[in-house]
């Protein structure tokens, strides 16, 4: 789970359409209600161990796939849309994210 002002983002893995997938949902009112669940992973194998963080209006998410590696995806519009998932590391597991603001 990650927060961005009064918006909450929750990502998890579960069996979806025959394999283990990464799903995400968003609340725009501090968790009172949540939007539709969106599937972010679309690869063979088991997608698991999602890690999610936010910075300004950007959402970043990593997860591992067995077999496969570590995938990364981001949204630059507050989770309205996400780019394509990209494999960052082959044969990795248990990914984690951290975001640092540039200080001028």
């Amino acid at each position: 789970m990650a927060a961005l002002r009064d918006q909450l983002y929750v990502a998890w893995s579960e069996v979806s359409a025959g394999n283990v997938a990464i799903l995400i949902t968003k609340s725009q009112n501090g968790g009172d209600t949540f939007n539709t669940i969106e599937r972010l992973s679309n690869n063979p194998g088991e997608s698991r161990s999602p890690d999610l963080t936010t910075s300004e209006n950007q959402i970043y998410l990593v997860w591992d796939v067995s077999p496969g590696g570590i995938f990364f995806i981001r949204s630059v519009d507050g989770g309205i849309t996400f780019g394509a998932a990209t494999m960052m590391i082959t044969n990795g597991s248990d990914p984690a994210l951290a975001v640092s603001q540039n200080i001028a």
Side-chain angles (χ1 to χ4, degrees):
M1 181 184 313
L4 183 63
R5 294 176 293 282
D6 64 340
Q7 298 177 37
L8 298 175
Y9 300 87
V10 180
W12 68 97
S13 60
E14 74 173 45
V15 176
S16 175
N19 68 346
V20 180
I22 300 298
L23 307 174
I24 191 167
T25 189
K26 169 181 161 181
S27 171
Q28 296 175 293
N29 54 19
D32 288 336
T33 60
F34 284 86
N35 293 0
T36 303
I37 296 169
E38 183 177 352
R39 181 183 175 138
L40 294 181
S41 63
N42 192 17
N43 48 271
E46 293 184 6
S47 298
R48 58 182 185 235
S49 303
D51 192 25
L52 173 69
T53 192
T54 62
S55 177
E56 297 185 17
N57 203 35
Q58 298 189 37
I59 314 304
Y60 303 93
L61 181 66
V62 292
W63 67 89
D64 67 49
V65 176
S66 175
I70 295 176
F71 282 77
F72 169 81
I73 196 168
R74 78 174 178 156
S75 170
V76 297
D77 57 14
I80 297 169
T81 61
F82 284 85
T86 303
M87 182 185 288
M88 302 298 291
I89 299 170
T90 59
N91 299 320
S93 64
D94 300 320
L97 282 174
V99 174
S100 175
Q101 299 295 325
N102 291 334
I103 299 174

